[in-house]
Amino acid sequence: MKSLKENFQKAHIVIIGSGIIGKFNALELSELGFQITIIDPAKLQNSSNAALGLLMGNMYQKRRGRSWDLRKQSIELWPQWITFLQKFNNELNIEKPLIQLTTNEEKFKKFKKLIYEKNDISLRILEKDSIFIKNINKSFQTKNIRGIISFKDGRINASLLLKTLDEYLKYEKINFLEEEIIKIRKSNNHWISTTKNNKDIKSDIVILCNSLKAVDLIKNISHNIKLKPVLGQAIEVDIDDAEVDLLSLPKQFSINGKNIITKSKNKLIIGSTDEYSTNPEENPFEKLTNFLDKKPNWLMKGKISRKWYGIRSRPDGEPSPIMRKIEDGLIICTGFYKNGILLAPACSKWVANEIRNYLS
Ligand SMILES: Cc1cc2nc3c(=O)[nH]c(=O)nc-3n(C[C@H](O)[C@H](O)[C@H](O)COP(=O)(O)OP(=O)(O)OC[C@H]3O[C@@H](n4cnc5c(N)ncnc54)[C@H](O)[C@@H]3O)c2cc1C
């Protein structure tokens, strides 16, 4: 009898879209022995390249249901994948811990409830007497900030992660086509993906990882999937104030929903906005720095040194993400909205199981 790996080697899988979700599926499936082709006309212009890379898994408030299961699984899988991927880039790592801060009394009560009920030693409350809070108060000139620290959550540098996955795909000689797919159809037991240049690519399985555009390719198949575009903007800010040493701040934290990454003594990254739009603003400074009632002077005087954005896909009428078998051999994996980097390991595990069941 042939081994499962030998059976898998015969199956050809086309992955449409090479953001974090397409690339991570390629990694998982190629490690299982499948023959993979990834197709994407613009692999650098996607929301994955805009991501800040925060992994907010274990500090998620709702500890049951599908969303929690995916977060929990991903937080468990990430360290194993990082160890594996360090063979291709030893700088890749997860910076821990992650801190979530609030000035809202109700929100803080929820943090306390989570810690009290779950008794999870990887989470702790940050009260006013904590050194983290003292440093934040000093820098931001605040008095009423408190929060939660998670020693299991953290941050992966998203662009380094994508580059490392590219290294892996190159090393494994995984087929990459810089093409746009405009149509997919079933022919006998196979799927045919047609490119804009009229090239047909035959495969046993197609995985749609092309975010918002996934629905365009299944217009002729019955489904009820709706996706909405959500704009996410981020800025890198230079601070020109000798009095402020940003290195006294945590490396990654959020205040009232805005994520902040300390890059150096005088550089911060702040992201991201959350707007049902596709048009980034000329100057997103105000929107991204309004997380406190009163901004400290050094932040008001800050200058944008870099700005970028990404369009995320959010499911309309159902929770994020959408991972579903549409037909035999056709899987959709999209609608990751705010958490594509976090959830990539758990979603590709789900896809691999779906394919295993289909082929066995
Ligand atoms: C500013 C910002 C900050 C973020 N921060 C975080 C964070 O801290 N943590 C986190 O987990 N997530 C974060 N996210 C969200 C995360 O980036 C997304 O959830 C994730 O990138 C979704 O990945 P994806 O692969 O589904 O889509 P994408 O990265 O958008 O990739 C889709 C790909 O499909 C390709 N494509 C489209 N149509 C076709 C076609 N017809 N044929 C072939 N290819 C096609 C596109 O070219 C594109 O490359 C952030 C997003 C933004 C914008």
Side-chain angles (χ1 to χ4, degrees):
M1 202 177 111
K2 290 225 163 86
S3 73
L4 211 51
K5 189 149 184 169
E6 278 174 282
N7 276 338
F8 286 176
Q9 269 159 3
K10 288 198 213 135
H12 176 213
I13 301 178
V14 156
I15 296 177
I16 302 177
S18 79
I20 185 63
I21 301 304
K23 281 184 181 150
F24 224 90
N25 273 307
L27 165 67
E28 174 93 42
L29 296 168
S30 133
E31 283 302 298
L32 289 171
F34 290 106
Q35 241 192 87
I36 314 285
T37 300
I38 311 188
I39 309 173
D40 195 318
K43 66 173 184 171
L44 295 175
Q45 287 149 29
N46 51 31
S47 82
S48 300
N49 279 281
L52 267 52
L54 297 183
L55 308 179
M56 236 177 235
N58 204 47
M59 55 168 58
Y60 187 59
Q61 301 271 325
K62 211 171 121 201
R63 292 216 158 188
R64 67 194 137 73
R66 175 175 169 268
S67 187
W68 166 245
D69 290 344
L70 290 173
R71 284 168 194 258
K72 187 166 168 272
Q73 197 186 13
S74 269
I75 286 293
E76 275 159 18
L77 289 169
W78 262 121
Q80 300 158 38
W81 278 122
I82 293 289
T83 306
F84 176 85
L85 289 169
Q86 277 170 345
K87 286 182 252 164
F88 301 90
N89 190 330
N90 59 17
E91 282 177 18
L92 192 70
N93 69 347
I94 304 179
E95 286 273 5
K96 292 179 190 173
L98 188 59
I99 291 178
Q100 210 182 335
L101 302 166
T102 182
T103 51
N104 180 295
E105 189 60 33
E106 287 310 304
K107 179 93 183 159
F108 185 64
K109 274 189 195 152
K110 281 189 185 158
F111 288 156
K112 285 211 326 211
K113 189 165 172 257
L114 174 73
I115 305 250
Y116 177 72
E117 282 178 0
K118 301 304 165 197
N119 202 14
D120 179 339
I121 56 159
S122 71
L123 294 174
R124 275 198 218 135
I125 280 293
L126 297 177
E127 289 279 7
K128 284 178 181 157
D129 57 354
S130 119
I131 183 73
F132 290 111
I133 301 292
K134 282 183 181 161
N135 285 341
I136 301 253
N137 279 337
K138 195 169 159 212
S139 298
F140 285 94
Q141 289 139 38
T142 41
K143 287 199 182 83
N144 57 346
I145 283 191
R146 288 176 296 173
I148 189 172
I149 183 166
S150 166
F151 296 96
K152 268 197 187 168
D153 296 321
R155 176 185 178 240
I156 298 178
N157 178 326
S159 69
L160 191 64
L161 170 65
L162 293 164
K163 279 189 198 130
T164 308
L165 287 167
D166 283 343
E167 286 298 313
Y168 167 83
L169 300 175
K170 209 161 85 190
Y171 178 83
E172 290 294 334
K173 299 192 173 64
I174 287 168
N175 223 357
F176 186 93
L177 296 182
E178 231 171 303
E179 303 257 13
E180 184 185 351
I181 297 299
I182 52 162
K183 197 169 76 185
I184 56 169
R185 68 188 157 88
K186 201 157 193 187
S187 165
N188 301 322
N189 277 333
H190 287 99
W191 284 93
I192 310 290
S193 305
T194 306
T195 72
K196 207 173 178 179
N197 296 321
N198 232 357
K199 197 152 71 189
D200 282 346
I201 298 139
K202 186 172 158 189
S203 65
D204 301 286
I205 292 164
V206 169
I207 313 173
L208 301 174
C209 302
N210 53 333
S211 193
L212 284 167
K213 298 284 169 73
V215 282
D216 296 353
L217 297 177
I218 48 173
K219 274 197 280 233
N220 302 329
I221 301 173
S222 149
H223 67 83
N224 54 0
I225 298 169
K226 285 194 205 109
L227 295 167
K228 287 198 279 194
V230 186
L231 175 69
Q233 302 178 93
I235 49 174
E236 188 178 81
V237 187
D238 280 354
I239 306 297
D240 184 15
D241 188 332
E243 297 289 299
V244 184
D245 179 3
L246 299 176
L247 293 178
S248 69
L249 298 173
K251 281 199 166 159
Q252 48 273 323
F253 60 108
S254 73
I255 302 183
N256 291 334
K258 290 285 180 293
N259 298 325
I260 303 171
I261 294 162
T262 314
K263 278 208 82 184
S264 68
K265 192 174 174 302
N266 52 7
K267 228 182 240 301
L268 284 176
I269 289 178
I270 310 176
S272 63
T273 59
D274 205 12
E275 304 144 78
Y276 286 107
S277 160
T278 50
N279 298 320
E281 275 144 72
E282 193 47 49
N283 189 356
F285 187 83
E286 192 44 45
K287 206 164 246 169
L288 282 159
T289 54
N290 68 357
F291 48 86
L292 288 170
D293 290 341
K294 193 170 174 298
K295 268 180 235 167
N297 271 340
W298 57 266
L299 186 55
M300 274 204 300
K301 288 188 298 183
K303 295 265 176 309
I304 295 185
S305 50
R306 205 158 65 88
K307 60 174 178 177
W308 64 95
Y309 72 94
I311 313 286
R312 299 158 291 184
S313 56
R314 183 178 195 178
D316 189 6
E318 64 180 303
S320 167
I322 293 173
M323 305 191 304
R324 200 176 298 165
K325 178 183 124 180
I326 302 276
E327 275 193 14
D328 279 349
L330 178 62
I331 291 172
I332 187 164
C333 199
T334 187
F336 282 82
Y337 183 34
K338 287 188 180 186
N339 289 301
I341 308 289
L342 167 66
L343 299 181
C347 96
S348 49
K349 184 73 64 214
W350 179 88
V351 170
N353 280 339
E354 198 63 27
I355 293 176
R356 262 203 204 100
N357 292 339
Y358 171 57
L359 294 177
S360 56

